[in-house]
Amino acid sequence: MIGSGYVGLVTGACLADSGNEVVCVDIDKAKIDLLLAGGVPIFEPGLAEMIARNRANGLIDFTTDKRRGIEHGDVVFIAVPTPMSDSGAADLSHVYAAAEDIGTYMDRYKVVVDKSTVPVGTADEVRAIIRKKTRHDFDLVSNPEFLKQGKAVADFMQPDRVVVGSDSQRALDVMRELYEPFLRTFHPLIAIDIRSAEMAKYAANCFLATKISFINEISNLCEKAGADISAVREAIGADKRIGYEFLFPGIGYGGSCLPKDVQALLHTAETLGADMHLLSAVEQVNSEQKTALVSKMVDRFGSRSGAKRLEGLHVGLWGLSFKPQTDDVRAAPSLVVAQRLVELGARVRAYDPEATKQAKNVLGNSIEYAGNMYDAVEGADALVLLTEWKQFQRPALQHVKSAMRQHVVFDGRNIYDPDRLRADGFEYHGMGRLRGRTMEETE
């Protein structure tokens, strides 16, 4: 497994758990040292326990030795980062470097698997790089990941589907054998051509991004029209063609996948001379949605003084990760909200169960960091909910009320019952909502 980041660790640990002997390689010595010492560099439910169990069984190991890892594997996964470059394209430098290493240290036939999210046509380039470096036979496979952060281990162990792009029956047979333990509940292995497999990953993520931006646009319209997005979502989500998943209004999408994959597909389309009007709009809506909650706060507090500023306002933020059950803050809307509040003169104190360290690397000392959720709202004029961690969903409201200076709540994820909060003496502001039910109660 070349790459011991989010995808590489989850994939390696799950493959080891099914009896395979896995060696995870990474150039980051500090990360490998942490893993060898029993630590895990990311927070993902169930992952640390799975790694510990399989290390004890001798089924997974970690190294910075590229040669050792590549020679070890009959199947070599490329699971390295493909971050967004300045142009919006996927930065493939890590993928190409991994291909160089595989070609250099290949000692027999291997199946080389592109697990990283890469643009259409990348497999051809990877194949060419490896071919220049080796005389050994090999096959190249595209095997995109569809893991949800916070549920990645469960997703891998019980996948909706496994997509394998290959032009080799030999390689396809190897991949079927590798994934067979995870497909016993009749979930399909979808065997397609390599370019279609590469496209499938981007198409899936961009469709999910589209659902999020769509419901956010409807949410914003509901506020102007006097409708309630909670009721609208309940009505349209019951249609099986639409469904409820990813149909949650809020402050926009973030994370390591959706933002960069939307950008990468737009860049691919531009390169090929194709217009993607819908996807361009999806990105614009998401960008604007990240500051929609701040605009509500300016309307509530800033306009009363005649200035569109928030000088002297004390704000307690609940949540910094881009979603619950992860410590990932990459492209997190919460960071945009925090930065904008500081720019407008507010004093911000935030709490997150897992992501404080990562957020600090981005926000530095521009905001304060609380030790618990109630400390975050001590003396606050406003509570702003940005990430729907379970511990935030049922707070001790009287404790919150006694801690705050003013009792104003801005619910960026629509997890609270407006009527309940108002009955307890809070002023409530949600996203596209009238008084009524929580999103949970419409499930």
Side-chain angles (χ1 to χ4, degrees):
M1 190 69 57
I2 301 180
S4 298
Y6 181 82
V7 174
L9 279 181
V10 172
T11 302
C14 291
L15 290 175
D17 209 55
S18 65
N20 299 288
E21 297 178 359
V22 178
V23 173
C24 293
V25 182
D26 204 283
I27 61 174
D28 186 340
K29 185 176 184 300
K31 180 188 294 184
I32 294 299
D33 287 345
L34 175 64
L35 287 161
L36 290 173
V40 178
I42 59 173
F43 174 76
E44 180 65 37
L47 180 60
E49 296 82 356
M50 180 176 282
I51 289 174
R53 179 171 66 248
N54 287 290
R55 281 208 74 207
N57 293 335
L59 292 174
I60 192 168
D61 199 7
F62 306 96
T63 184
T64 57
D65 187 339
K66 301 172 186 176
R67 181 170 195 155
R68 178 195 163 201
I70 292 166
E71 289 184 349
H72 167 85
D74 298 308
V75 182
V76 180
F77 283 82
I78 299 175
V80 296
T82 54
M84 185 171 62
S85 66
D86 292 340
S87 68
D91 179 352
L92 300 176
S93 58
H94 298 293
V95 173
Y96 296 152
E100 291 266 358
D101 292 332
I102 291 169
T104 299
Y105 298 120
M106 184 176 289
D107 60 344
R108 64 188 185 278
Y109 170 80
K110 296 179 187 293
V111 176
V112 179
V113 183
D114 267 342
K115 195 69 174 173
S116 302
T117 301
V118 296
V120 175
T122 301
D124 295 335
E125 298 178 50
V126 170
R127 193 197 308 267
I129 291 170
I130 296 174
R131 176 53 60 207
K132 287 180 181 179
K133 291 282 186 177
T134 186
R135 290 176 294 177
H136 292 286
D137 192 19
F138 68 94
D139 282 312
L140 195 68
V141 166
S142 175
N143 175 219
E145 56 87 13
F146 299 98
L147 305 176
K148 296 185 291 291
Q149 286 182 256
K151 298 180 179 179
V153 171
D155 282 348
F156 197 101
M157 300 301 281
Q158 295 181 309
D160 293 328
R161 77 291 199 197
V162 173
V163 175
V164 176
S166 176
D167 53 13
S168 163
Q169 187 60 48
R170 181 182 183 184
L172 183 58
D173 289 343
V174 170
M175 297 301 287
R176 285 189 188 279
E177 181 180 355
L178 190 64
Y179 277 107
E180 190 272 338
F182 309 102
L183 301 174
R184 293 182 180 274
T185 50
F186 301 103
H187 297 298
L189 186 148
I190 301 172
I192 54 180
D193 64 278
I194 291 176
R195 287 190 168 225
S196 295
E198 290 172 329
M199 180 62 80
K201 169 64 175 179
Y202 283 104
N205 276 355
C206 290
F207 181 77
L208 298 176
T210 299
K211 287 190 74 173
I212 294 169
S213 282
F214 172 80
I215 200 64
N216 281 333
E217 277 219 307
I218 297 298
S219 174
N220 295 339
L221 184 60
C222 280
E223 292 188 2
K224 296 182 181 296
D228 190 326
I229 191 59
S230 300
V232 172
R233 177 183 179 272
E234 181 180 13
I236 66 174
D239 188 327
K240 293 180 181 179
R241 297 169 301 174
I242 298 172
Y244 291 111
E245 290 193 42
F246 281 77
L247 210 63
F248 291 93
I251 56 175
Y253 58 78
S256 62
C257 292
L258 298 193
K260 76 175 182 65
D261 289 353
V262 168
Q263 280 278 356
L265 195 58
L266 284 169
H267 186 271
T268 296
E270 182 180 358
T271 302
L272 297 174
D275 293 323
M276 300 196 76
H277 304 296
L278 177 61
L279 207 55
S280 296
V282 166
E283 183 185 37
Q284 180 181 349
V285 169
N286 193 62
S287 178
E288 294 172 355
Q289 196 68 18
K290 290 182 179 182
T291 58
L293 199 63
V294 178
S295 296
K296 292 176 183 288
M297 297 178 69
V298 170
D299 289 342
R300 167 61 177 81
F301 292 105
S303 59
R304 291 191 176 186
S305 62
K308 297 295 184 180
R309 299 279 299 172
L310 298 173
E311 304 288 356
L313 191 75
H314 288 205
V315 178
L317 294 188
W318 282 358
L320 292 167
S321 58
F322 85 95
K323 63 181 290 187
Q325 301 288 39
T326 181
D327 59 354
D328 197 344
V329 299
R330 285 174 287 182
S334 57
L335 301 189
V336 176
V337 172
Q339 289 167 333
R340 184 61 182 144
L341 289 173
V342 171
E343 289 171 1
L344 292 172
R347 175 185 170 188
V348 177
R349 182 185 297 158
Y351 172 73
D352 188 283
E354 295 292 340
T356 297
K357 180 180 177 181
Q358 287 72 17
K360 238 182 224 188
N361 292 334
V362 180
L363 298 173
N365 296 322
S366 64
I367 68 170
E368 301 171 33
Y369 303 92
N372 61 67
M373 59 191 285
Y374 298 109
D375 182 41
V377 297
E378 188 69 39
D381 300 295
L383 162 61
V384 181
L385 185 284
L386 300 179
T387 312
E388 60 276 33
W389 286 92
K390 288 190 181 299
Q391 65 181 264
F392 298 153
Q393 296 183 17
R394 293 291 185 270
L397 291 177
Q398 290 308 310
H399 191 167
V400 175
K401 188 176 181 182
S402 64
M404 296 181 69
R405 185 166 63 183
Q406 297 188 66
H407 308 124
V408 186
V409 175
F410 291 87
D411 182 1
R413 299 295 183 180
N414 284 3
I415 68 170
Y416 298 128
D417 182 339
D419 288 339
R420 164 80 187 280
L421 262 67
R422 289 170 180 140
D424 282 328
F426 290 90
E427 179 184 326
Y428 176 87
H429 301 268
M431 307 298 289
R433 302 183 74 185
L434 300 176
R435 297 179 181 227
R437 294 166 291 176
T438 67
M439 300 302 287
E440 285 182 328
E441 290 169 333
T442 65
E443 292 298 314

